[in-house]
Amino acid sequence: MSEDQNADVPPNHLSIDPRSAFYDEDVLLRDVGIRFNGVEKTNVHEYDVAEGWIRVEVTTAKDRRGNPMVVKLSGTVEPFYR
């Protein structure tokens, strides 16, 4: 695969949390979308294509530091650039 084709595919693992090792601001600025089991999700905090999971926000719960609680869901993950 050529370098140009590779540039149009989001990374295999990405997080929106700046404390995460998988956080990449440059990629996030390109507006990454996620299809999970064929449905587009807008509340994804982190995903891993190879392992087949996403972490999504639980809207009604916060952790002890005030951050949104997230749950891990398993399935087919398809990242794309909008």
Side-chain angles (χ1 to χ4, degrees), residues 29-41:
L29 288 174
R30 290 193 58 195
D31 197 14
V32 176
I34 301 294
R35 255 184 243 100
F36 180 70
N37 291 336
V39 178
E40 186 170 347
K41 297 288 187 181

Side-chain angles (χ1 to χ4, degrees), residues 15-34:
S15 174
I16 65 168
D17 185 351
R19 298 168 294 174
S20 171
F22 299 103
Y23 176 80
D24 187 336
E25 188 173 1
D26 293 334
V27 171
L28 292 171
L29 288 174
R30 290 193 58 195
D31 197 14
V32 176
I34 301 294

